[in-house]
Amino acid sequence: MPMYVMITQASRKARAAKELYETLKSRAAEFLPPVREGEIQGFDGVEVPGSERSRVLAIRFHDEYLSPYMKSDMNLFHLLMLDEQVKIRVYRAERGWLFVFDGVQAAPKPFGTMGFDPR
């Protein structure tokens, strides 16, 4: 199930999002079809290649989790669990940039010898 993060133009992360989008847009051969996530319409979408995913993760969306300038259907756990295995698409939106993530981990993976932390 795709999840999204919308960064508005007033956000602290807007400059990084714009520079990333413009770089990817200049390298893209073609744009993805428009997408609608909730009430947000994204257009001129670009698939983020594997080599550039670390740049998206470096934006650190979880820093803006409670900001009124970021809108998302992801909780803080989801934002912290983003990694290079997630497929990422970036779209231009009316008031900012829309990041769509496919393959986000839904729940924590079990760890430890018995599948949980015994502390």
Side-chain angles (χ1 to χ4, degrees):
M1 179 172 105
M3 297 183 163
Y4 73 91
V5 171
M6 166 70 176
I7 299 291
T8 63
Q9 294 172 349
S11 172
R12 295 182 302 165
K13 307 293 182 173
R15 183 175 178 189
K18 179 181 179 183
E19 288 176 2
L20 174 68
Y21 176 76
E22 293 298 329
T23 301
L24 293 173
K25 188 171 105 171
S26 67
R27 295 179 189 165
E30 61 184 46
F31 292 118
L32 298 171
V35 67
R36 177 173 287 284
E37 295 292 338
E39 67 273 359
I40 303 167
Q41 177 73 31
F43 50 91
D44 293 341
V46 180
E47 185 79 33
V48 178
S51 60
E52 297 290 329
R53 289 184 187 153
S54 61
R55 287 186 62 192
V56 174
L57 301 177
I59 295 176
R60 298 173 50 105
F61 296 113
H62 60 275
D63 289 346
E64 291 279 304
Y65 177 63
L66 295 175
S67 170
Y69 304 114
M70 181 182 113
K71 182 172 175 91
S72 179
D73 65 347
M74 302 167 73
N75 62 31
L76 185 57
F77 171 79
H78 293 125
L79 293 171
L80 290 170
M81 299 311 317
L82 293 176
D83 59 6
E84 284 81 15
Q85 278 67 38
V86 176
K87 289 184 180 181
I88 306 170
R89 295 171 294 179
V90 183
Y91 294 88
R92 178 77 179 114
E94 185 177 321
R95 295 172 289 142
W97 297 269
L98 178 66
F99 292 82
V100 179
F101 302 95
D102 285 321
V104 177
Q105 184 176 325
K109 291 182 181 177
F111 62 95
T113 57
M114 298 192 295
F116 59 91
D117 187 7
R119 289 183 270 168

